[in-house]
Amino acid sequence: MSEDARRGLTVDPDAPTQYPELARLSQLVRWHIVNTVTQSKAGHIGGPMSMTDLLVALYFETLRIDPSNPHSPDRDRFVLSKGHSAIGLYSVLALRGYFPVEELATFDHGNSRLQGHPDMKLTPGVDVSTGSLGQGLSAGVGIALGAKKLGAGYRTWVMLGDGELQEGMIWEAFNSASRYRLNNLVAIVDLNGLQQFGWPAVATRDRFDRSDPWSHVDLHAILTGFGWNVLSVDGHDFGDILGAYEAAVENASTSDKPTVILARTTKGHGLSFTSGTYKWHNGVATPEQLEIARRELAIEETTL
Amino acid sequence: MSEDARRGLTVDPDAPTQYPELARLSQLVRWHIVNTVTQSKAGHIGGPMSMTDLLVALYFETLRIDPSNPHSPDRDRFVLSKGHSAIGLYSVLALRGYFPVEELATFDHGNSRLQGHPDMKLTPGVDVSTGSLGQGLSAGVGIALGAKKLGAGYRTWVMLGDGELQEGMIWEAFNSASRYRLNNLVAIVDLNGLQQFGWPAVATRDRFDRSDPWSHVDLHAILTGFGWNVLSVDGHDFGDILGAYEAAVENASTSDKPTVILARTTKGHGLSFTSGTYKWHNGVATPEQLEIARRELAIEETTL
Amino acid sequence: MRAQRDVWGDTLVEIGAVDPSIVIVDGDLANSTKADKFAAAYPDRFVEVGIAEQNMVGIAFGLTTAGFRPWLSTFGVFLTHRALDPIRMLVSQTQAPVRVAGAYSGLLNGSSGKTHQDIEDLAIMRAMPNMTVLAPVDEIETAEVTRWASQHDGPVYVRLARDAVRQVLPDDYTFKLGEVITLRPGGVIALVSTGAQSSRVYEAAEILDEIGIHARVIHVPTIKPLHVPSLMEAVDGARIVITVEEHSIIGGLGGLVSETLAERFHSPRVARMGLQDAWSESGPNDFLLDKYGLSPKRVAQLVREYLNAPEATTRQIVGGNA
Amino acid sequence: MRAQRDVWGDTLVEIGAVDPSIVIVDGDLANSTKADKFAAAYPDRFVEVGIAEQNMVGIAFGLTTAGFRPWLSTFGVFLTHRALDPIRMLVSQTQAPVRVAGAYSGLLNGSSGKTHQDIEDLAIMRAMPNMTVLAPVDEIETAEVTRWASQHDGPVYVRLARDAVRQVLPDDYTFKLGEVITLRPGGVIALVSTGAQSSRVYEAAEILDEIGIHARVIHVPTIKPLHVPSLMEAVDGARIVITVEEHSIIGGLGGLVSETLAERFHSPRVARMGLQDAWSESGPNDFLLDKYGLSPKRVAQLVREYLNAPEATTRQIVGGNA
Ligand SMILES: Cc1ncc(C[n+]2csc(CCOP(=O)(O)OP(=O)(O)O)c2C)c(N)n1
Ligand SMILES: Cc1ncc(C[n+]2csc(CCOP(=O)(O)OP(=O)(O)O)c2C)c(N)n1
Ligand SMILES: [Mg+2]
Ligand SMILES: [Mg+2]
C-alpha cells in the first residue's frame, strides 16, 4: 500500500486495529462493490457497504463453511434478506473462494451467475434467493426449525436491512422464531439509519437529509419483548462484531432464545462521497469518483 | 326477567353492577349472536362473544354516531378488523338502531345485507369491509391520517383479534400510526387467549386446551416500544372498559401517541358451554344448547 | 361421498406413515382444512404458524432446504393473494417442493362470502412459471392428486373444495399429469370443466340428455401443464366447446381452453361459463350454485340458452365497469 | 422521448395543482417511480409509508374515506403480489378510488432481475373484478392515462414502464377507455400489443415491411374493460392475429385476445408471443429484449418464423414442467 494511496482515507490508516486482515478484506470488498456496480452500470452501493464489515467478519471468522463444498449439509447457512445488497455478498463470496474474483465483472450482465439479487440456483455459496424485501427471516426460521427437527447442528444467520424491518412479514418471523425457541438462529440488522427514500429530517422540506426510519420507536425494547436475545454493536468495529457473534453462538447453549444483533452502521461506509447519504443507495460512480474510491480504499492500479 | 330465566346464569344476577343497562344489552347481543348463527347454520360464536362488552360500551357510551345518519362525515369511525366476528357487530348495530333487529335473521342467507364478513357497501353502520384478517388497522391508520389532513375531529376505533395480531400487516400499521402521531386512533385488542386452532397447551398432545398465542412475548412492552400509549383492562368489566375509552380520548389532548387497549377477555364469554374454549370459535348450537343459552342470558321466549 | 377436505387430510395421514419428509405448515386453520388429522397423528411434523400466511410460505421453503416436503394448510384465497409474493420468490423461482393446498376454493366455503371465495386462483397460479396447477374433481381423484403432489419434486398448487361432490371417476382411477378425462363421450357439444365443478357439469349433462341435448363432458384436472393433444383429442369433432368453472370466466380454465384452441386452425368456438367477473356473496351452497349459474340445473339451463342464441350472450364489453 | 416514470411524475404534479384530492402513498421508492416530484411540490399530500406494501394499500383505502384519491407509488410487482390481498378486499371489493401504479413493469427495470420483473401483472389484475386495467404505450398516452385515472371514480391499475419508447401516438391523442388503436392499418397479419411494447412492435412492423411482409399494428391500452367491437373492427379481415407482450404469454393480453376471439365464429387464429412461461434474469434492456424475443428485430424475426411454419411453433404442452 503506497503512502499516496492512503491519502483521503476518512479513518486514520495508522489507527490501531486488532484486525488488520479483516480491515483490509473490507477495503477490498468495498472496492469490488463500487467498481463492479460502476462497470455494470447498475446496482446498489450504500447497503452493501454498510454491511461489509459485518459480512467479512462472519464469512472469514465465524461461519463454519467450506467454499469447495457449498452444499455440505452441515454448513452454517446465511440468508441475505436485504437482497439488493447482493454485490456485497458476491464480493465476500469471491474473496472467500466460492468463485473467481474475475467473475464479479459479470454482475448484472445477461447470462450471468451473479444476478441483481441473490439466486440460490445460480451462485455457489448463496443459500436462499432474495430480492423482494422482508422474506429472508421467515426462510431463516424454516431453515433453523428444520435443523431442530433433524437434530442438525448448523446455525442460520440472516442479514436484514433497517428499512426492510418495515415489512410485516419480518414481524411474523420474529414472532415465530421465539415461539419455536430457535436459539440456532441469528438475525443481524444493518442499522444504517437510511433506506432508499425514507422520511426527510424535516417533514415539509426535503433537503437530502433523512430521519432514521426507527427513530420514533425503541427497537431494543420491542425485540426483547418479542422474546429475542438482543445485542447492540458498532457494525464497523470488528472487536464489537466478533464479540456479538461469539455471544450469539454461546447464547445457543445457555438460552432457548434466538439472537438479534442490532448493528449500528453508516450507509455507504468507507468512501467519503457515499458515506451517510441515502443518495448513494444505488448509483454509478463517475471516473473521478472511482479514482477517489481507489485512493480511499488503498487499491493498487493492478487490482482489477 | 322471570326468576326461572335466571337459573343457570354463570355470573350471579344479583351481583352489583354499576352498568345494568349495558350488562343487559350485552346479554341481548350474546343471545342474538348464538341464536342467529344457529338459525343461519353458519358463523362465528367465540370471537363475537368475547368482544361483546367492549362493543356495547363503545357503541352505547363512547362513539359519537347517529344511526339515522350513518354516513355523516363527522361521525367516529369503527373498524372491525377481526371481521369474522361480524354477527357481534351486526347485533350491536341493530340494537343501536342502524337497522331492524329482525334483519339479523337474514345473516349469511343469500341476497342479504348482512354478509358473513362486514361489507361497508351493504350494511348501514359498517365503515370498512373486512374478513381477511390483519388489514383493518392499516385502514384505520389511513382514516385517522385523513382526519388529520382535513383537520376533522372524528376518532377512529379499530377492534383486533389476538390471533389476528400474528399478521405482519398489523405491525406495519402499528409502526405507521406512531410515526404519524395518530392520537386520534384507538386500537382495541380482544385478548381472549384463543384463535381458531392455535397451539395446544402441551405441544405433543392435543387435549383441546390451548396456550395463549402471545404467552411467549410481552405485548405491553412491544407496543410501548412501538410508540403507542398502552392500556390494559378487563374486557368484561364495564367500569374498566369505559375508563380506558375515556383515557384514550383524553390521551389525544395530552399526547401525540395512538392508544392501544389490551382487553383481557374470555372467548365465548357469557355462556357456560362456549366460554373459554377454542372449539366454539365457530359452530352451531343444538336445540338443547340454545335452550341453555336462553336461560343463561335471561331471554324471554318472546325475544325472537 | 366424502368431503374433499377429509380426503386430503386422511390421505396425508396415510402418506405421512411411510414418508417422513411430509410436514404440514398450518395457518391456524387445521380444524377447517382437516390438517388436524395429520397434527394428531404426527405432532412433530405439524408446524403451526398462526395467522401469518406469508411467514407460512417462508417457513415451508426453509424446511425444504432441510429435506422436508411441506404442504401448506389454510384457506387457498389467502395463499394465492396474501402470500403470493413469497410463493413467487421462495417457491416458484427456487422450484422448492412446497405444496400449496388451496383449501375452501371457489364459492362454497361455508357462507364466508366474497373475501374468502377464491374465484381467481387458477388465473393467478396459472400465470406463475414453474407452477403445477391441479384441480381434482371427486374423492377418488383428490386422494390421487394428494398422493401425486406429495411425491412431486417441485412447486404444486392444488385447488381443493371444502365439501363433497358425487363421484364421477372409477375407484381404480390413476391420475396422469396433463391428461384430460372424458367423463361422457360423444356429441358435438363439449362441456369442459375442472375441480369439483366437473361433477356438477356431469349431472348437468344428464339433465340436458333428458331434453334431448347430448353433451360430452371433459374434465381437466391439470390446469398446468396441460397435455394439449389430450385436450384436442377430447374435443375432436365437437362444434362448440363450453367451459364451466367455479371461478371467474377470466384467465382460468376458460382462459386455458381459449388460448389453446385459438392457437389452432378450425377450432370449435369456445363459450365460457362461471363467475361473470363479479364478486359473489355469503349464502348456503345451493343458493350460491343456483344464483351464480353453477348448479347442475342452472348449467343445463345456461347451456341450452346459449345454444339457442349464441350471439346474444357473446360479450360486447369484457370487464364490468366500462 | 421521455421516460414513462418521468411523464407519470410530471403529470401528477400538474394534476395536483388543480385537484387537491390527489395524494401519493409511497413505499420507499419515490425517487425511482418519480413520485418525488410530487413530494417536492406537495409535501402535505405525499404519504411515505416505507417498505410495507400491504400497509400502503390499507392507508390509501383509509384516505379515500376522507375524500382523497390516492396513487400508490412502488414497483408494480410488489403491489400485484405482496399487496394483492389488500387490493382485493379494500380496493376492488369496496370499489375505492385507489390508483395502483405498476411502476417498472415487465422486464426492463434496471437489471434487478426476476424478483422485480412483473410479467404476470396483467393476468393477475385482469382476473380481479371491478378493476380497470390500463397499459399506455408512449409518453403521450402515459400522460393521458394518468389524467384519466386520476379522475376515475373506482379502482384502476396502470402498467407503467420505467424507460422511454419511441412515440407512436399523435400529440393531440385522447385516451378513450376500452378502445383499441390501430397504429398501422391494413394487411392480413395483425400484430396486437399493449403498453410500451406496442411501440417496439410498431418498429417490428417497419422491419417486416422491408422484407415484404405487411402487418397491421393494433395497440390495446385498455386491458379491461375492453370494448370488443373496437377490437373486432381492428382485426377485421386479418387472417392471423399475433399478440406480443412484455408479459407472460399466459393470461395477459394474449389471454384477453384469445378469450375474445375464441368466443366468436370464424375468428382468425391467434398466436401469442411474450415471455414463454419462464422467469427471466438481470441484464441491460437491449440484452433482455433480444434474448426474450421482444426487441423490434426479434419480434420481426419471430413473426416471420411463425408465418413460415405456424404448426411447428404451436405448443404441445402448456406450462413448462410436464
Ligand atoms: C418488497 C420490496 N419492496 C421494495 C423494494 C425496493 N427496495 C430495494 S432496497 C430498498 C430500501 C432498503 O432499505 P434498507 O432495508 O434500509 O437497506 P439498506 O439501507 O441496507 O440498503 C427498497 C425500498 C424491494 N426490493 N422489495
Ligand atoms: C388472512 C386470514 N387468515 C385466516 C383467516 C381465517 N380465520 C378467521 S378467524 C381466525 C382466528 C382468529 O383468531 P382471533 O384473531 O384471536 O379472533 P377471535 O379469537 O377473537 O375469534 C382465522 C384463522 C382469515 N379470516 N383471514
Ligand atoms: Mg438501511
Ligand atoms: Mg382470539
Side-chain angles (χ1 to χ4, degrees):
Chain A
M1 190 157 52
S2 75
E3 272 307 297
D4 193 60
R6 282 181 179 169
R7 241 185 295 144
L9 275 173
T10 44
V11 182
D12 179 2
D14 299 319
T17 166
Q18 286 190 273
Y19 304 91
E21 279 167 20
L22 296 182
R24 183 61 194 147
L25 281 164
S26 280
Q27 284 185 319
L28 286 175
V29 168
R30 291 196 167 97
W31 166 252
H32 286 308
I33 292 168
V34 65
N35 184 47
T36 307
V37 167
T38 299
Q39 307 309 332
S40 295
K41 296 190 184 56
H44 294 77
I45 298 277
M49 287 176 67
S50 59
M51 73 170 185
T52 295
D53 300 325
L54 293 159
L55 270 202
V56 163
L58 194 64
Y59 270 88
F60 286 88
E61 295 290 337
T62 305
L63 290 185
R64 295 165 304 176
I65 48 175
D66 173 6
S68 67
N69 192 4
H71 290 289
S72 158
D74 298 333
R75 75 191 188 282
D76 286 343
R77 310 298 204 269
F78 175 75
V79 186
L80 183 65
S81 190
K82 41 172 273 190
H84 63 279
S85 300
I87 186 59
L89 176 60
Y90 298 156
S91 301
V92 170
L93 289 176
L95 291 171
R96 189 69 173 77
Y98 281 89
F99 49 81
V101 170
E102 292 70 41
E103 196 171 335
L104 291 175
T106 70
F107 174 65
D108 262 356
H109 291 208
N111 299 321
S112 167
R113 297 202 295 178
L114 305 181
Q115 293 289 299
H117 293 83
D119 187 328
M120 61 188 275
K121 304 298 258 191
L122 290 177
T123 313
V126 170
D127 289 323
V128 174
S129 298
T130 52
S132 174
L133 289 166
Q135 303 191 25
L137 192 59
S138 290
V141 167
I143 297 171
L145 187 62
K148 291 273 181 197
K149 292 210 175 288
L150 296 176
Y154 62 80
R155 296 184 198 108
T156 304
W157 300 74
V158 181
M159 176 75 71
L160 302 163
D162 50 0
E164 184 185 19
L165 291 193
Q166 288 149 10
E167 280 289 351
M169 189 177 171
I170 293 285
W171 298 92
E172 299 178 356
F174 275 133
N175 185 24
S176 290
S178 58
R179 168 170 288 281
Y180 282 108
R181 307 171 198 274
L182 300 177
N183 54 7
N184 55 351
L185 176 69
V186 186
I188 307 168
V189 184
D190 182 3
L191 279 176
N192 60 23
L194 295 168
Q195 46 199 87
Q196 170 163 341
F197 190 66
W199 290 265
V202 178
T204 47
R205 226 168 352 142
D206 189 342
R207 292 180 303 192
F208 305 147
D209 50 357
R210 281 298 185 266
S211 70
D212 186 307
W214 294 98
S215 56
H216 63 302
V217 311
D218 180 347
L219 265 188
H220 201 288
I222 291 171
L223 292 169
T224 306
F226 262 109
W228 285 60
N229 172 38
V230 188
L231 307 172
S232 288
V233 302
D234 175 344
H236 300 306
D237 178 320
F238 286 111
D240 243 33
I241 295 169
L242 292 172
Y245 290 174
E246 261 166 55
V249 167
E250 261 178 54
N251 168 72
S253 48
T254 57
S255 121
D256 60 5
K257 293 182 176 185
T259 293
V260 55
I261 299 171
L262 298 177
R264 179 55 66 189
T265 60
T266 303
K267 195 152 179 166
H269 184 81
L271 278 185
S272 53
F273 61 92
T274 60
S275 181
T277 171
Y278 80 101
K279 288 267 161 186
W280 274 94
H281 174 73
N282 46 21
V284 173
T286 61
E288 296 71 39
Q289 287 169 325
L290 208 60
E291 263 324 294
I292 298 174
R294 199 182 276 281
R295 260 192 290 122
E296 293 186 355
L297 296 168
I299 302 300
E300 307 283 342
E301 281 296 334
T302 52
T303 310
L304 288 182
Chain B
M1 188 158 50
S2 74
E3 272 306 297
D4 193 60
R6 281 182 181 168
R7 241 186 293 146
L9 272 174
T10 43
V11 182
D12 179 3
D14 299 320
T17 166
Q18 286 191 272
Y19 304 91
E21 281 166 19
L22 295 182
R24 183 61 194 146
L25 281 164
S26 280
Q27 284 185 319
L28 288 174
V29 167
R30 291 195 167 96
W31 166 252
H32 287 307
I33 291 168
V34 66
N35 185 47
T36 306
V37 167
T38 299
Q39 306 309 332
S40 296
K41 296 190 183 54
H44 293 78
I45 298 275
M49 288 176 66
S50 59
M51 73 171 184
T52 294
D53 299 325
L54 293 159
L55 271 202
V56 164
L58 194 65
Y59 270 89
F60 286 87
E61 294 291 338
T62 306
L63 290 184
R64 297 164 302 177
I65 48 176
D66 173 5
S68 67
N69 192 3
H71 291 288
S72 158
D74 298 333
R75 75 190 187 283
D76 286 343
R77 310 298 204 269
F78 175 75
V79 185
L80 183 65
S81 191
K82 42 172 272 189
H84 62 280
S85 300
I87 186 59
L89 176 60
Y90 298 156
S91 300
V92 170
L93 290 175
L95 291 171
R96 189 69 174 79
Y98 281 90
F99 48 82
V101 171
E102 293 68 41
E103 195 171 336
L104 291 175
T106 70
F107 173 65
D108 261 355
H109 291 207
N111 300 320
S112 168
R113 296 202 295 179
L114 305 181
Q115 293 289 300
H117 293 84
D119 188 328
M120 62 188 275
K121 304 298 260 192
L122 290 177
T123 313
V126 170
D127 289 323
V128 175
S129 297
T130 51
S132 174
L133 290 166
Q135 302 191 26
L137 191 59
S138 290
V141 167
I143 297 170
L145 187 62
K148 290 274 181 197
K149 292 210 176 289
L150 296 176
Y154 61 82
R155 297 184 197 106
T156 304
W157 300 74
V158 181
M159 176 75 71
L160 302 162
D162 49 0
E164 184 185 19
L165 291 193
Q166 288 149 9
E167 280 290 352
M169 189 177 170
I170 293 285
W171 298 92
E172 299 178 356
F174 274 134
N175 185 23
S176 290
S178 58
R179 167 169 290 281
Y180 282 107
R181 307 171 198 274
L182 301 178
N183 55 5
N184 54 351
L185 176 68
V186 186
I188 306 169
V189 184
D190 182 4
L191 279 176
N192 59 23
L194 294 168
Q195 45 198 89
Q196 170 163 342
F197 190 66
W199 290 265
V202 177
T204 48
R205 225 166 355 140
D206 189 341
R207 294 178 303 190
F208 304 148
D209 49 357
R210 282 295 186 270
S211 70
D212 186 306
W214 294 100
S215 55
H216 64 302
V217 312
D218 180 348
L219 265 188
H220 200 289
I222 291 171
L223 292 169
T224 306
F226 264 110
W228 284 60
N229 173 37
V230 188
L231 307 173
S232 288
V233 303
D234 175 344
H236 299 307
D237 178 320
F238 286 112
D240 245 34
I241 296 169
L242 291 172
Y245 291 174
E246 259 166 55
V249 167
E250 262 179 53
N251 168 71
S253 49
T254 56
S255 124
D256 60 6
K257 293 181 177 188
T259 293
V260 56
I261 299 171
L262 299 177
R264 178 56 65 187
T265 60
T266 302
K267 195 150 178 166
H269 185 80
L271 278 185
S272 53
F273 60 92
T274 60
S275 181
T277 171
Y278 80 101
K279 290 266 160 185
W280 275 94
H281 175 73
N282 45 23
V284 173
T286 62
E288 295 71 39
Q289 287 170 327
L290 207 61
E291 262 324 293
I292 297 174
R294 198 183 277 282
R295 260 193 290 121
E296 292 186 356
L297 297 168
I299 302 301
E300 307 282 344
E301 283 295 336
T302 52
T303 309
L304 287 183
Chain C
M1 273 201 340
R2 287 161 68 219
Q4 281 205 2
R5 56 179 179 166
D6 285 314
V7 175
W8 179 75
D10 290 336
T11 306
L12 285 181
V13 171
E14 272 171 40
I15 299 170
V18 293
D19 184 347
S21 74
I22 302 292
V23 297
I24 294 187
V25 176
D26 181 50
D28 194 32
L29 286 173
N31 46 353
S32 286
T33 64
K34 298 306 172 192
D36 55 356
K37 299 171 190 247
F38 189 93
Y42 317 109
D44 284 351
R45 284 188 274 143
F46 178 80
V47 179
E48 182 57 72
V49 172
I51 310 168
E53 292 79 10
Q54 301 193 73
N55 195 31
M56 283 174 68
V57 175
I59 290 177
F61 160 82
L63 287 167
T64 66
T65 69
F68 292 103
R69 301 152 74 87
W71 277 92
L72 301 176
S73 151
T74 177
F75 296 153
V77 69
F78 301 125
L79 291 169
T80 61
H81 292 83
R82 200 59 160 275
L84 191 61
D85 201 34
I87 290 176
R88 183 181 197 262
M89 184 175 81
L90 289 175
V91 179
S92 157
Q93 295 189 342
T94 69
Q95 297 188 267
V98 172
R99 297 110 171 99
V100 183
Y104 282 50
S105 68
L107 286 188
L108 309 184
N109 57 20
S111 291
S112 288
K114 62 178 173 291
T115 53
H116 287 53
Q117 288 163 334
D118 203 350
I119 58 167
E120 321 107 86
D121 58 335
L122 299 180
I124 293 169
M125 298 316 286
R126 196 167 78 82
M128 194 180 278
N130 295 344
M131 265 290 159
T132 295
V133 181
L134 308 176
V137 53
D138 61 11
E139 59 184 283
I140 300 295
E141 192 171 42
T142 300
E144 264 293 289
V145 161
T146 304
R147 281 188 284 264
W148 186 92
S150 292
Q151 55 73 42
H152 178 61
D153 202 29
V156 192
Y157 174 78
V158 183
R159 176 178 240 237
L160 293 169
R162 176 182 186 274
D163 301 320
V165 291
R166 182 174 133 192
Q167 184 179 329
V168 291
L169 291 170
D171 287 346
D172 64 353
Y173 165 80
T174 306
F175 170 73
K176 286 200 206 70
L177 184 69
E179 302 292 323
V180 310
I181 296 144
T182 299
L183 297 174
R184 264 175 80 103
V188 293
I189 300 145
L191 306 182
V192 181
S193 190
T194 187
Q197 183 64 26
S198 288
S199 177
R200 291 186 285 266
V201 169
Y202 185 85
E203 293 183 35
E206 293 178 335
I207 297 172
L208 284 168
D209 230 14
E210 288 166 19
I211 54 167
I213 300 177
H214 186 74
R216 59 178 104 173
V217 177
I218 299 164
H219 167 56
V220 183
T222 306
I223 294 295
K224 186 175 165 181
L226 175 70
H227 186 56
V228 177
S230 156
L231 175 68
M232 295 316 294
E233 208 175 292
V235 299
D236 188 48
R239 285 224 326 274
I240 175 100
V241 170
I242 303 178
T243 62
V244 188
E245 59 199 306
E246 195 186 332
H247 184 279
S248 168
I249 51 163
I250 294 181
L253 174 71
L256 169 65
V257 170
S258 296
E259 290 172 4
T260 306
L261 294 192
E263 197 162 71
R264 281 160 178 78
F265 268 124
H266 310 305
S267 283
R269 185 174 182 172
V270 181
R272 287 169 292 131
M273 295 182 182
L275 277 296
Q276 299 295 316
D277 191 26
W279 299 114
S280 165
E281 65 190 287
S282 304
N285 287 0
D286 287 346
F287 167 85
L288 292 173
L289 291 176
D290 266 353
K291 176 159 176 182
Y292 294 95
L294 294 165
S295 63
K297 216 184 64 204
R298 287 276 289 140
V299 169
Q301 184 189 337
L302 288 169
V303 166
R304 205 177 147 194
E305 275 172 33
Y306 175 76
L307 295 175
N308 285 340
E311 301 313 326
T313 56
T314 303
R315 275 164 280 273
Q316 292 307 302
I317 303 285
V318 177
N321 48 358
Chain D
M1 274 202 337
R2 286 161 68 220
Q4 281 204 2
R5 57 179 177 165
D6 285 315
V7 175
W8 179 74
D10 291 336
T11 306
L12 285 181
V13 170
E14 271 171 41
I15 299 169
V18 292
D19 183 347
S21 74
I22 302 292
V23 296
I24 293 187
V25 176
D26 181 49
D28 194 31
L29 286 173
N31 45 353
S32 285
T33 65
K34 299 305 171 194
D36 56 356
K37 299 172 190 243
F38 189 93
Y42 317 108
D44 284 351
R45 284 188 276 144
F46 177 80
V47 179
E48 182 58 71
V49 171
I51 310 169
E53 291 79 9
Q54 301 193 74
N55 195 31
M56 283 173 68
V57 175
I59 290 177
F61 161 82
L63 287 167
T64 66
T65 69
F68 293 103
R69 303 153 74 88
W71 277 92
L72 301 176
S73 151
T74 177
F75 295 153
V77 70
F78 301 124
L79 291 169
T80 60
H81 292 82
R82 200 57 159 277
L84 190 61
D85 200 34
I87 289 176
R88 183 181 196 261
M89 185 176 82
L90 289 176
V91 180
S92 156
Q93 295 189 343
T94 69
Q95 297 188 267
V98 172
R99 297 111 171 102
V100 183
Y104 283 50
S105 69
L107 287 187
L108 310 184
N109 56 22
S111 291
S112 288
K114 62 178 173 291
T115 54
H116 287 53
Q117 288 162 334
D118 204 350
I119 58 167
E120 320 107 87
D121 58 335
L122 299 180
I124 293 169
M125 299 316 287
R126 196 167 79 81
M128 193 179 280
N130 295 345
M131 265 292 159
T132 295
V133 181
L134 308 177
V137 53
D138 62 10
E139 60 185 281
I140 300 295
E141 192 171 40
T142 301
E144 264 294 287
V145 160
T146 304
R147 281 187 285 264
W148 186 92
S150 293
Q151 56 72 42
H152 178 61
D153 202 30
V156 193
Y157 174 77
V158 183
R159 175 178 241 236
L160 292 169
R162 176 183 186 273
D163 302 319
V165 291
R166 184 175 132 192
Q167 184 178 329
V168 291
L169 291 170
D171 287 346
D172 64 353
Y173 166 79
T174 307
F175 170 73
K176 286 198 206 71
L177 183 69
E179 301 292 323
V180 310
I181 296 143
T182 299
L183 296 176
R184 264 175 81 101
V188 292
I189 300 145
L191 305 182
V192 181
S193 190
T194 187
Q197 182 64 25
S198 290
S199 176
R200 289 185 287 265
V201 169
Y202 185 85
E203 293 183 35
E206 293 178 333
I207 297 172
L208 285 168
D209 231 13
E210 288 166 20
I211 54 168
I213 301 176
H214 185 75
R216 59 179 103 173
V217 177
I218 298 164
H219 167 56
V220 183
T222 306
I223 294 295
K224 185 175 165 182
L226 176 70
H227 186 57
V228 178
S230 156
L231 175 68
M232 295 316 294
E233 208 175 292
V235 299
D236 188 48
R239 287 224 324 275
I240 175 99
V241 170
I242 302 177
T243 62
V244 188
E245 58 198 306
E246 194 186 333
H247 184 280
S248 167
I249 52 163
I250 295 181
L253 174 71
L256 169 66
V257 171
S258 296
E259 289 172 3
T260 306
L261 294 192
E263 197 163 72
R264 282 161 177 79
F265 269 125
H266 311 304
S267 282
R269 185 175 185 173
V270 181
R272 287 168 292 131
M273 295 181 183
L275 277 297
Q276 299 295 316
D277 191 27
W279 299 113
S280 165
E281 65 190 289
S282 303
N285 287 2
D286 287 344
F287 167 85
L288 292 173
L289 292 176
D290 266 352
K291 177 160 174 179
Y292 293 95
L294 295 166
S295 62
K297 215 182 65 204
R298 289 276 289 139
V299 169
Q301 185 190 337
L302 288 169
V303 166
R304 205 177 148 195
E305 275 171 31
Y306 175 77
L307 295 175
N308 285 340
E311 301 314 325
T313 56
T314 303
R315 273 163 282 271
Q316 292 308 301
I317 302 287
V318 178
N321 50 356

